[in-house]
PDB file of all heavy atoms in Angstrom:
ATOM      1  N   GLN A  15     164.621  92.327 119.442  1.00 98.00           N
ATOM      2  CA  GLN A  15     164.827  93.537 118.658  1.00 98.00           C
ATOM      3  C   GLN A  15     166.156  93.454 117.819  1.00 98.00           C
ATOM      4  O   GLN A  15     166.313  93.952 116.823  1.00 98.00           O
ATOM      5  CB  GLN A  15     164.828  94.807 119.431  1.00 98.00           C
ATOM      6  CG  GLN A  15     163.345  95.139 119.822  1.00 98.00           C
ATOM      7  CD  GLN A  15     163.297  96.360 120.836  1.00 98.00           C
ATOM      8  OE1 GLN A  15     163.854  96.381 121.846  1.00 98.00           O
ATOM      9  NE2 GLN A  15     162.645  97.450 120.381  1.00 98.00           N
ATOM     10  N   ASP A  16     167.197  92.817 118.490  1.00 98.00           N
ATOM     11  CA  ASP A  16     168.458  92.483 117.839  1.00 98.00           C
ATOM     12  C   ASP A  16     168.269  91.680 116.660  1.00 98.00           C
ATOM     13  O   ASP A  16     168.737  91.877 115.480  1.00 98.00           O
ATOM     14  CB  ASP A  16     169.547  91.847 118.742  1.00 98.00           C
ATOM     15  CG  ASP A  16     170.043  92.833 119.848  1.00 98.00           C
ATOM     16  OD1 ASP A  16     170.080  94.029 119.541  1.00 98.00           O
ATOM     17  OD2 ASP A  16     170.380  92.296 120.938  1.00 98.00           O
ATOM     18  N   GLU A  17     167.548  90.669 116.745  1.00 98.00           N
ATOM     19  CA  GLU A  17     167.120  89.671 115.722  1.00 98.00           C
ATOM     20  C   GLU A  17     166.476  90.402 114.657  1.00 98.00           C
ATOM     21  O   GLU A  17     166.793  90.196 113.317  1.00 98.00           O
ATOM     22  CB  GLU A  17     166.392  88.453 116.309  1.00 98.00           C
ATOM     23  CG  GLU A  17     165.890  87.450 115.162  1.00 98.00           C
ATOM     24  CD  GLU A  17     164.952  86.528 115.941  1.00 98.00           C
ATOM     25  OE1 GLU A  17     163.860  86.879 116.342  1.00 98.00           O
ATOM     26  OE2 GLU A  17     165.295  85.272 115.917  1.00 98.00           O
ATOM     27  N   ALA A  18     165.532  91.225 114.952  1.00 98.00           N
ATOM     28  CA  ALA A  18     164.600  91.937 114.104  1.00 98.00           C
ATOM     29  C   ALA A  18     165.469  92.939 113.237  1.00 98.00           C
ATOM     30  O   ALA A  18     165.354  93.118 112.037  1.00 98.00           O
ATOM     31  CB  ALA A  18     163.495  92.716 114.658  1.00 98.00           C
ATOM     32  N   LEU A  19     166.420  93.669 113.971  1.00 98.00           N
ATOM     33  CA  LEU A  19     167.303  94.568 113.297  1.00 98.00           C
ATOM     34  C   LEU A  19     168.189  93.794 112.234  1.00 98.00           C
ATOM     35  O   LEU A  19     168.223  94.274 111.116  1.00 98.00           O
ATOM     36  CB  LEU A  19     168.204  95.259 114.304  1.00 98.00           C
ATOM     37  CG  LEU A  19     169.054  96.367 113.828  1.00 98.00           C
ATOM     38  CD1 LEU A  19     168.211  97.514 113.463  1.00 98.00           C
ATOM     39  CD2 LEU A  19     170.085  96.850 114.961  1.00 98.00           C
ATOM     40  N   GLU A  20     168.630  92.746 112.549  1.00 98.00           N
ATOM     41  CA  GLU A  20     169.494  92.012 111.697  1.00 98.00           C
ATOM     42  C   GLU A  20     168.686  91.410 110.483  1.00 98.00           C
ATOM     43  O   GLU A  20     169.194  91.355 109.339  1.00 98.00           O
ATOM     44  CB  GLU A  20     170.078  90.770 112.476  1.00 98.00           C
ATOM     45  CG  GLU A  20     170.603  89.608 111.670  1.00 98.00           C
ATOM     46  CD  GLU A  20     171.649  89.921 110.572  1.00 98.00           C
ATOM     47  OE1 GLU A  20     172.197  90.810 110.858  1.00 98.00           O
ATOM     48  OE2 GLU A  20     171.588  89.094 109.579  1.00 98.00           O
ATOM     49  N   PHE A  21     167.439  91.232 110.708  1.00 98.00           N
ATOM     50  CA  PHE A  21     166.581  90.819 109.512  1.00 98.00           C
ATOM     51  C   PHE A  21     166.202  91.857 108.682  1.00 98.00           C
ATOM     52  O   PHE A  21     166.562  91.817 107.509  1.00 98.00           O
ATOM     53  CB  PHE A  21     165.307  90.123 110.105  1.00 98.00           C
ATOM     54  CG  PHE A  21     164.319  89.787 108.960  1.00 98.00           C
ATOM     55  CD1 PHE A  21     164.560  88.530 108.497  1.00 98.00           C
ATOM     56  CD2 PHE A  21     163.253  90.539 108.695  1.00 98.00           C
ATOM     57  CE1 PHE A  21     163.627  87.973 107.469  1.00 98.00           C
ATOM     58  CE2 PHE A  21     162.410  90.178 107.615  1.00 98.00           C
ATOM     59  CZ  PHE A  21     162.620  88.786 107.055  1.00 98.00           C
ATOM     60  N   TYR A  22     165.765  93.034 109.120  1.00 98.00           N
ATOM     61  CA  TYR A  22     165.106  94.052 108.469  1.00 98.00           C
ATOM     62  C   TYR A  22     166.295  94.879 107.754  1.00 98.00           C
ATOM     63  O   TYR A  22     166.225  95.393 106.650  1.00 98.00           O
ATOM     64  CB  TYR A  22     164.177  95.024 109.092  1.00 98.00           C
ATOM     65  CG  TYR A  22     162.902  94.327 109.362  1.00 98.00           C
ATOM     66  CD1 TYR A  22     162.648  93.598 110.502  1.00 98.00           C
ATOM     67  CD2 TYR A  22     161.943  94.438 108.348  1.00 98.00           C
ATOM     68  CE1 TYR A  22     161.282  93.033 110.589  1.00 98.00           C
ATOM     69  CE2 TYR A  22     160.731  93.701 108.436  1.00 98.00           C
ATOM     70  CZ  TYR A  22     160.401  92.981 109.617  1.00 98.00           C
ATOM     71  OH  TYR A  22     159.241  92.284 109.771  1.00 98.00           O
ATOM     72  N   VAL A  23     167.502  95.049 108.415  1.00 98.00           N
ATOM     73  CA  VAL A  23     168.532  95.793 107.920  1.00 98.00           C
ATOM     74  C   VAL A  23     169.452  94.791 107.184  1.00 98.00           C
ATOM     75  O   VAL A  23     169.871  94.922 105.971  1.00 98.00           O
ATOM     76  CB  VAL A  23     169.327  96.559 109.042  1.00 98.00           C
ATOM     77  CG1 VAL A  23     170.554  97.284 108.464  1.00 98.00           C
ATOM     78  CG2 VAL A  23     168.434  97.518 109.640  1.00 98.00           C
ATOM     79  N   GLY A  24     169.841  93.727 107.831  1.00 96.00           N
ATOM     80  CA  GLY A  24     170.811  92.819 107.260  1.00 96.00           C
ATOM     81  C   GLY A  24     170.358  92.046 106.041  1.00 96.00           C
ATOM     82  O   GLY A  24     171.039  91.851 105.029  1.00 96.00           O
ATOM     83  N   LYS A  25     168.975  91.668 106.056  1.00 97.00           N
ATOM     84  CA  LYS A  25     168.517  90.823 105.012  1.00 97.00           C
ATOM     85  C   LYS A  25     167.707  91.567 103.999  1.00 97.00           C
ATOM     86  O   LYS A  25     167.663  91.350 102.841  1.00 97.00           O
ATOM     87  CB  LYS A  25     167.701  89.605 105.653  1.00 97.00           C
ATOM     88  CG  LYS A  25     168.668  88.635 106.452  1.00 97.00           C
ATOM     89  CD  LYS A  25     167.899  87.334 106.878  1.00 97.00           C
ATOM     90  CE  LYS A  25     168.709  86.193 107.166  1.00 97.00           C
ATOM     91  NZ  LYS A  25     169.405  86.469 108.434  1.00 97.00           N
ATOM     92  N   LEU A  26     166.833  92.473 104.493  1.00 97.00           N
ATOM     93  CA  LEU A  26     165.883  93.275 103.608  1.00 97.00           C
ATOM     94  C   LEU A  26     166.569  94.488 103.112  1.00 97.00           C
ATOM     95  O   LEU A  26     166.022  95.055 102.131  1.00 97.00           O
ATOM     96  CB  LEU A  26     164.581  93.518 104.285  1.00 97.00           C
ATOM     97  CG  LEU A  26     163.652  92.288 104.772  1.00 97.00           C
ATOM     98  CD1 LEU A  26     162.215  92.842 105.010  1.00 97.00           C
ATOM     99  CD2 LEU A  26     163.746  91.053 103.833  1.00 97.00           C
TER     100      LEU A  26
END
Side-chain angles (χ1 to χ4, degrees):
Chain A
Q15 287 173 302
D16 287 330
E17 179 188 60
L19 188 66
E20 159 56 24
F21 179 81
Y22 285 97
V23 174
K25 292 186 164 68
L26 299 199

